[in-house]
């Protein structure tokens, strides 16, 4: 099949590459010229495990192309995926200007029957709006389908190739047949392809992300209460996770969720509710709890140093909003850097993939520097702070850490270490929802 993907970010590039991998001819279109030139030169512009191999192979096989030219990019396309940003507007609603802007252009450019597929996360009713925007100018028949994407950054390729489920919202029999064919290679193991109406498909994506964000905020509140009551959140987590109705996954407390999806999707769903005069109270609480939780490590550090952070030096491990990605959007580490440097402290940060992205944002912050490896960041630091659970932080050389720090103090926002191990090494170790280890 001939496919165009408009928007070549985390979702668009993975979508395009994976469809090329199953034999389709894919053109990825993006307005970012630098990014497109990089891809045309065979370089992957983002970090995502396994993406590079697939990307290079499909370029070599001549199935994956890149352009900034929308008209040329969609010329032969039978289906066009829209994987464009839907950032939060001032009022929390999803900003649809990218999607509707491209829809306006497509109306003029379509030359034959085409299926336009919303892969972006968009509020209920957007497929209808996209249809109206295209129809204003279109001279040919077309269908608009909702096909929300559920991939997780850090697992994007494997999630796309082996999705838990594929959700497709359409009432068009032609679109139904073509999408079934397109996704057939990815659901061979019997993972479900759910066909539904487009409004339900749009709602499914927001319901999924908001539910997961709720699970995180709920566990963070349990962790906070564990700290106050002397319970251990790890034990509690295992105790409740064994109940199949609750499930083991997504019960880890921490310093709040970040990323480009949960924060904005929770706000957007609350906004949609508001448009229907429905007060979705849980969602407001989920966001408030998360905002508070992102301050958690900062508050712990302030308390430990009696609010005297001026002249202190902190090592910060982990900058990406989660491991195995270079994405730093809404990452808790950014707030930590802002708060500590504003209070007069120096931060030496290290992340396996995200240093460059953070450097771009904080380029004029003289109190922030970057280390080339995790241990280098520790040199003469007053404490180590951990903000992202990268695997390489999970089993470090504790004695080496102890020697390099000015004092053996760790604030762990991701509960990476067993308390008994920290006891035995003589650290002050403060994590989330567990007892504080004192040397
Ligand atoms: P992104 O910001 O990584 O990528 C968007 C791309 O679109 C950028 O490369 C940008 O240059 C390009 N773009 C902007 N305007 C354009 C235009 N007019 N024409 C062509 N290209 C244009 O975004 P993303 O993380 O891939 O997310 C895209 C959508 O998918 C969002 O709605 C998001 O909520 C949703 N989503 C994201 C994830 C995720 O994990 N990132 C998962 C599921 C769904």
């Amino acid at each position: 099949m001939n496919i165009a993907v408009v928007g070549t970010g985390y979702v668009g590039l993975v979508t395009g590459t994976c469809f090329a991998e199953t034999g389709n001819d894919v053109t990825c279109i993006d307005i970012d010229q630098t990014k497109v030139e990089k891809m045309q030169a065979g370089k992957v512009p983002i970090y995502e495990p396994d993406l590079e191999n697939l990307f290079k192979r499909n370029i070599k096989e001549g199935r994956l192309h890149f352009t900034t030219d929308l008209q040329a990019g969609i010329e032969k396309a039978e289906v066009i995926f829209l994987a464009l940003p839907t950032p939060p507007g001032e009022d929390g609603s999803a900003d649809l200007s990218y999607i509707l802007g491209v829809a306006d252009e497509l109306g003029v450019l379509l030359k034959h029957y085409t299926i336009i597929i919303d892969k972006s996360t968009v509020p209920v009713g957007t497929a209808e709006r996209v249809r109206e925007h295209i129809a204003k100018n279109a001279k040919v028949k077309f269908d608009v389908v909702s096909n929300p994407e559920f991939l997780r950054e850090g697992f994007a390729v494997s999630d796309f190739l082996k999705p838990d489920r594929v959700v497709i919202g359409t009432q068009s029999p032609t679109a139904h047949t073509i999408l079934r064919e397109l996704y057939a290679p990815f659901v061979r193991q019997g993972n479900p392809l759910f066909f539904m109406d487009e409004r339900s498909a749009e709602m499914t994506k927001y319901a999924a992300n908001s539910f997961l964000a709720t699970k995180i905020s709920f566990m963070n509140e349990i962790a906070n209460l564990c700290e106050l009551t002397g319970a251990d959140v790890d034990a509690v987590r295992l105790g409740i996770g064994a109940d199949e109705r609750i499930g083991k996954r997504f019960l880890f407390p921490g310093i709040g969720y970040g990323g480009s999806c949960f924060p904005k999707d929770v706000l957007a769903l609350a906004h949609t509710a508001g448009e229907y005069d429905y007060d979705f109270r849980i969602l407001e609480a989920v966001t408030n709890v998360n905002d508070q939780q992102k301050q958690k490590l900062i508050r712990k550090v302030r308390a430990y140093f009696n609010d005297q952070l001026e002249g202190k030096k902190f090592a910060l491990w982990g900058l990406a909003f989660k491991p195995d990605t270079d994405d730093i959007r809404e990452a808790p580490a950014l707030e930590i850097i802002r708060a500590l440097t504003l209070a007069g402290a120096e931060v030496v940060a290290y992340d396996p993939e995200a240093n460059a992205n953070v450097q771009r944002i904080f380029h004029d912050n003289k109190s922030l520097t970057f280390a080339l490896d995790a241990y280098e960041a520790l040199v003469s630091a007053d404490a180590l702070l951990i903000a992202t659970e990268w695997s390489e932080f999970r089993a470090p050389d504790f004695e080496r850490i102890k020697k390099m720090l000015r004092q053996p103090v760790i604030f762990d926002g991701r509960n990476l270490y067993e308390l008994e191990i920290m006891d035995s090494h003589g650290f002050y170790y403060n994590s989330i929802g567990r007892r504080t280890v004192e040397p």
Side-chain angles (χ1 to χ4, degrees), residues 6-12 29-32 35 83-86 98 102 119-121 149 151 153 205 260-261 264-265 329:
V6 189
T8 315
Y10 288 87
V11 169
I29 303 149
D30 206 285
I31 41 161
D32 183 338
K35 197 179 216 179
L84 292 155
T86 48
Y98 297 86
V102 169
K119 219 173 209 340
S120 300
T121 302
E149 180 51 56
L151 64 77
E153 282 177 30
K205 175 66 192 177
S260 67
C261 293
K264 84 169 167 62
D265 293 350
R329 291 178 280 191

Side-chain angles (χ1 to χ4, degrees), residues 380-427:
S380 318
D382 291 283
L384 163 64
L385 278 58
I386 303 173
T388 316
E389 64 276 35
W390 282 93
S391 299
E392 69 171 75
F393 303 151
R394 283 188 187 275
D397 180 341
F398 288 111
E399 287 308 311
R400 193 170 163 202
I401 295 180
K402 222 170 138 182
K403 274 199 203 104
M404 297 184 84
L405 287 173
R406 194 171 287 159
Q407 27 183 344
V409 176
I410 300 180
F411 295 91
D412 180 359
R414 300 297 176 187
N415 288 5
L416 294 190
Y417 311 128
E418 299 284 335
L419 299 179
E420 292 67 29
I421 291 184
M422 302 317 278
D423 278 325
S424 69
H425 285 284
F427 277 95

